[in-house]
Amino acid sequence: MSTNKVIHAIYTDDDILMDAVKASRAAHHHIEEVYTPFPVHGLDKAMGLAPTRIAIASFLYGVVGLTVAANLLNYIMIVDWPQDIGGKPSFAFYQNLPAFVPVLFELTVFFAAHLMVITFYLRSRLWPFKQAENPDVRTTDDHFLMEVAVNGNEEDMISFFKNTGAVEVKVIDKH
Amino acid sequence: MYTFSNKLKTFAFVLMALGLLGIAYGFLTAPKTTADVEKILAESHHDGHHTAAPAHAEAVKAIEEVKDAAVHGEKVSDSAVATLAATVEAHADSTATHADTTHAAVAHANKAPHNDAHKAEAHHGAEADAHKEHEAHLEHVLHQLQNKPWAALYVACIFFLLISVGVLAFYAIQWAAQAGWSPVLFRVMEGITAYLLPGSIIFLILLVLSGMHMNHLFAWMAEGVTDPKSEHYDAIIAGKSGFLNVPFFLGRAIVFLLGWNLYRHFSRKNSLAQDNATDDSFYKKNFKMAAGFLAFFIVTESISSWDWIMSVDPHWYSTLFGWYVFASFFVSGITTIAFVTLYLKSKGYLEFVNTSHIHDLAKFMFGISVFWTYLWFSQFMLMWYSNIPEEVTYFVTRIEHFKLPFFGMVVMNFVLPILILINTDFKRLTWVIVMAGIIILTGHYIDFFNMIMPATVGDQWFIGVSEISSLLFFFGLFIFVVFTALTKSPLLAKRNPLIEESKHFHY
């Protein structure tokens, strides 16, 4: 436990990476992170990551947006100043509902979309002046990098990752 | 190969037999004369309108007073009459179901000032007017009640016909788009579209019977509407008679149905031929034919929805109506594909269909339900907003007399599907799809009910023996035809270039 060392295994093909991830999980090596230049289909499942809940969040934001829009329209058009505008019935919310629907819809979508995006930024810690966390610049172009915590015999681990098809295996001291 | 289970076959025959009995019952019990109608109306007054009755009685009393005053030679001041007339009118408002009778009463009351001289003849004249109006009302209701079994048959017939047309359109889209997920479902879709031929024959017979004046489903077909000398002359309909005339109408229907049936016939033939082919020539033929059919289809679908559905309201028109009708039967068709697929899968006949295929179908059910709602709302809101009398009457009659089906279908076709099918995991569960599908299919039957009934039976509508029996009969026929067709060929297309991808499809 005394070590902050991690292994960086670098691959050049996403199929080999997938196999390596599966082999590492089978050998009970703890995968800290995988860096890829593009989304690799099925990688999250292979790594055993929990499914995202952002869709649930978005649904709830949509409900909030609908509520905001309904209260806004009801207060302005029905409660505060129920003026007769072109003969539209402003006696009750439901009577003028069709005219409100475009606003109800748009605000629902607006809240659902924007708040979801903001949630995504917060949860993945992304902001304009953020320091890039890139361990190797090649991972943004054509290389795949798997970071595994060193645990037990270092030499054994290096040979294990060499056997998974890595083109390069490095031991890095973190922090 | 699929074998038609005996249980299902018996079930289909029972449905058809029950349906036929009910349809016959509906036709036999339809009123023949205005005397029958009077009896029916008297009964329904007794049963259903207790709340309306007292107001009605009051209105009658008020009129009696005015009449008495007139008869006794008292000078009835105009203002007094006006007040009374106002009361009567207020009552008329509260008794919408008695609209016609009270209208007569109001007319009566308004006559009172002119009866100052309490001329007996004038009094009689007013009564005669009321009587005539009452007769006209009975005639009107008679036509509505006689239409009831016909309209019930028509709605059920067009509903099942259009389901198979919707599946055919979906099938053509899958071919033209070269979809990689759906080829394992092609035989299921081909099975469902087998209903197109018998469905269109029955439908065409119904249209011909309407053209032969066996019923009053289409007001513009009635005799004398285009003749300026006739008492039934209708200038608006006469102006449209270049398009709305029986020979052209039937000719169009034949061309449309023939075109759809031909595409169905040849695409099925090529699809089967591709199984034993050595190259992909039949696949290419089907691809081109699908593209051609879709172009033909979108034009003919639009025109047929004006013909078969919009023309029951010949005074009304809407530009997005064709799309609206299309969305309605398209989503029903996709739901039917999902149902038949789930049934065959549960019986172990569809080896390569997995939950991802079901998930895709459910996404289509979800998406097209929302699309339907978008068109429904666009049509409704544009007319509600501008409130132009000549087009808004369409919705006024529906909201006044069809409140529950009209708004209920929005809940069934939009609110429930969007809440049930929004969840990815739910879209893979058989029981959720079946539940949502039943809601969607029922909702779209009611949608067609709402399109046809207000113009044909008006406020005399009811979902009773006629309506349910017609639905049962066509449902039984649909099951019988579809599952018979499914036994005719293997349930997996063999040499389709996309079949391997489809077998391994996962989402």
Side-chain angles (χ1 to χ4, degrees):
Chain A
M1 282 309 294
S2 58
T3 171
N4 278 328
K5 281 181 176 169
V6 289
I7 286 180
H8 279 179
I10 298 179
Y11 303 86
T12 50
D13 188 290
D14 50 338
D15 282 340
I16 298 171
L17 171 78
M18 285 289 279
D19 293 339
V21 166
K22 281 171 195 156
S24 309
R25 295 237 320 148
H28 298 292
H29 292 303
H30 179 68
I31 301 172
E32 304 253 319
E33 192 64 89
V34 177
Y35 298 88
T36 65
F38 53 79
V40 176
H41 190 71
L43 184 62
D44 54 336
K45 275 215 181 81
M47 287 171 70
L49 299 179
T52 170
R53 289 166 297 178
I54 201 153
I56 298 167
S58 180
F59 181 82
L60 296 176
Y61 296 147
V63 173
V64 171
L66 187 64
T67 315
V68 168
N71 283 297
L72 185 80
L73 288 164
N74 185 50
Y75 178 71
I76 295 172
M77 302 300 290
I78 309 297
V79 177
D80 190 31
W81 196 342
Q83 200 178 198
D84 183 338
I85 303 165
K88 285 280 161 282
S90 49
F91 310 107
F93 184 72
Y94 77 90
Q95 282 185 318
N96 211 357
L97 183 61
F100 299 156
V101 165
V103 182
L104 294 171
F105 171 76
E106 293 296 347
L107 277 185
T108 306
V109 174
F110 179 86
F111 272 65
H114 288 83
L115 292 182
M116 176 177 75
V117 168
I118 292 168
T119 306
F120 170 73
Y121 285 154
L122 290 175
R123 291 290 289 143
S124 38
R125 296 161 205 275
L126 285 175
W127 62 89
F129 301 103
K130 180 195 166 74
Q131 202 68 43
E133 295 169 358
N134 195 1
D136 191 318
V137 284
R138 291 172 297 169
T139 58
T140 61
D141 182 15
D142 60 349
H143 283 61
F144 303 82
L145 190 150
M146 179 162 66
E147 186 177 290
V148 187
V150 173
N151 199 336
N153 191 329
E154 203 177 297
E155 293 307 313
D156 284 357
M157 282 186 80
I158 290 171
S159 67
F160 174 82
F161 286 109
K162 280 250 154 76
N163 285 335
T164 56
V167 291
E168 211 178 302
V169 178
K170 291 185 286 189
V171 180
I172 306 264
D173 218 348
K174 261 198 159 179
H175 312 301
Chain B
M1 290 291 265
Y2 169 70
T3 41
F4 199 163
S5 89
N6 268 327
K7 251 196 221 156
L8 193 63
K9 201 180 270 182
T10 318
F11 178 62
F13 282 129
V14 169
L15 285 181
M16 279 192 270
L18 278 178
L20 274 180
L21 281 178
I23 291 169
Y25 171 82
F27 276 104
L28 291 175
T29 51
K32 307 276 175 309
T33 61
T34 46
D36 296 342
V37 176
E38 197 137 32
K39 225 186 282 167
I40 292 169
L41 285 184
E43 271 168 34
S44 70
H45 277 216
H46 206 70
D47 295 336
H49 307 301
H50 280 304
T51 47
H56 182 57
E58 261 178 65
V60 170
K61 219 174 103 195
I63 296 157
E64 288 302 319
E65 276 166 20
V66 180
K67 267 200 283 183
D68 277 357
V71 169
H72 291 301
E74 289 166 22
K75 281 267 178 195
V76 185
S77 75
D78 277 2
S79 64
V81 172
T83 339
L84 276 172
T87 355
V88 173
E89 253 172 287
H91 284 307
D93 276 349
S94 66
T95 55
T97 44
H98 296 288
D100 290 53
T101 3
T102 26
H103 271 314
V106 172
H108 211 139
N110 286 341
K111 284 229 163 67
H114 305 296
N115 287 359
D116 270 356
H118 54 86
K119 291 273 194 293
E121 311 95 79
H123 180 62
H124 279 304
E127 214 150 66
D129 268 0
H131 183 67
K132 218 161 131 197
E133 225 164 302
H134 180 59
E135 279 299 309
H137 172 60
L138 287 181
E139 181 87 9
H140 179 62
V141 176
L142 174 68
H143 282 175
Q144 291 183 329
L145 288 175
Q146 282 180 335
N147 262 345
K148 219 173 147 285
W150 282 102
L153 200 62
Y154 188 79
V155 172
C157 183
I158 199 170
F159 180 60
F160 280 97
L161 171 70
L162 290 182
I163 282 181
S164 65
V165 175
V167 175
L168 190 69
F170 190 75
Y171 176 72
I173 290 171
Q174 300 305 310
W175 275 96
Q178 302 180 31
W181 68 278
S182 52
V184 289
L185 299 173
F186 275 180
R187 289 295 144 80
V188 174
M189 297 182 209
E190 285 164 14
I192 299 172
T193 54
Y195 179 77
L196 185 61
L197 184 63
S200 31
I201 291 170
I202 298 173
F203 183 68
L204 198 62
I205 292 172
L206 271 181
L207 290 187
V208 170
L209 290 179
S210 300
M212 288 162 63
H213 307 295
M214 300 286 283
N215 56 52
H216 310 280
L217 288 182
F218 299 91
W220 57 267
M221 284 179 179
E223 270 164 288
V225 281
T226 55
D227 178 10
K229 287 184 211 78
S230 166
E231 56 167 333
H232 298 301
Y233 178 64
D234 186 320
I236 294 172
I237 294 178
K240 298 183 180 186
S241 62
F243 187 77
L244 287 181
N245 61 76
V246 176
F248 190 30
F249 173 82
L250 291 179
R252 279 196 305 267
I254 290 168
V255 170
F256 299 165
L257 292 172
L258 198 67
W260 301 346
N261 275 291
L262 284 178
Y263 169 69
R264 194 268 159 191
H265 176 77
F266 286 110
S267 66
R268 161 83 164 176
K269 210 174 140 191
N270 286 345
S271 172
L272 291 178
Q274 180 66 34
D275 273 6
N276 303 314
T278 49
D279 60 1
D280 291 339
S281 61
F282 289 109
Y283 172 80
K284 286 176 188 159
K285 264 187 209 162
N286 254 9
F287 170 76
K288 286 180 195 153
M289 198 158 48
F293 167 74
L294 286 171
F296 173 78
F297 173 74
I298 202 59
V299 175
T300 51
E301 187 278 329
S302 200
I303 301 176
S304 61
S305 65
W306 310 335
D307 276 357
W308 303 340
I309 300 174
M310 199 158 79
S311 87
V312 296
D313 286 288
H315 286 184
W316 179 80
Y317 49 86
S318 162
T319 33
L320 56 71
F321 195 73
W323 288 102
Y324 169 67
V325 173
F326 170 71
S328 189
F329 70 72
F330 194 53
V331 69
S332 310
I334 295 166
T335 308
T336 310
I337 299 174
F339 272 2
V340 177
T341 308
L342 286 173
Y343 173 78
L344 292 174
K345 177 81 187 159
S346 74
K347 297 282 168 197
Y349 285 106
L350 295 173
E351 193 191 335
F352 293 102
V353 173
N354 55 42
T355 53
S356 292
H357 293 104
I358 304 300
H359 183 264
D360 261 29
L361 284 172
K363 271 194 284 191
F364 271 109
M365 284 161 64
F366 174 81
I368 310 294
S369 282
V370 176
F371 178 62
W372 173 87
T373 315
Y374 166 61
L375 293 175
W376 174 83
F377 181 71
S378 301
Q379 180 168 280
F380 171 67
M381 194 262 239
L382 285 179
M383 293 196 176
W384 173 85
Y385 206 102
S386 58
N387 204 19
I388 299 169
E390 68 216 45
E391 58 181 25
V392 86
T393 48
Y394 185 82
F395 290 109
V396 169
T397 48
R398 275 155 185 79
I399 292 173
E400 212 164 89
H401 301 304
F402 290 75
K403 201 168 240 125
L404 182 64
F406 186 69
F407 291 111
M409 83 173 170
V410 182
V411 174
M412 295 178 83
N413 294 338
F414 173 62
V415 180
L416 296 178
I418 204 177
L419 291 177
I420 296 170
L421 292 177
I422 199 165
N423 188 318
T424 306
D425 299 329
F426 283 6
K427 284 195 276 264
R428 291 171 189 273
L429 297 177
T430 305
W431 68 274
V432 172
I433 311 258
V434 169
M435 201 176 68
I438 289 172
I439 294 170
I440 290 174
L441 285 177
T442 316
H444 285 283
Y445 170 74
I446 296 174
D447 186 15
F448 279 95
F449 188 84
N450 278 333
M451 288 193 247
I452 301 289
M453 289 298 175
T456 50
V457 302
D459 57 359
Q460 300 300 318
W461 72 275
F462 188 66
I463 299 189
V465 178
S466 288
E467 287 76 8
I468 292 169
S469 310
S470 305
L471 211 51
L472 290 184
F473 171 73
F474 284 104
F475 185 42
L477 184 69
F478 188 81
I479 292 178
F480 179 69
V481 173
V482 169
F483 286 90
T484 306
L486 285 170
T487 61
K488 297 280 168 64
S489 61
L491 288 178
L492 184 69
K494 252 182 280 172
R495 274 203 82 261
N496 188 305
L498 295 161
I499 198 76
E500 282 306 315
E501 180 183 346
S502 179
K503 279 181 195 171
H504 300 110
F505 171 72
H506 83 105
Y507 167 75

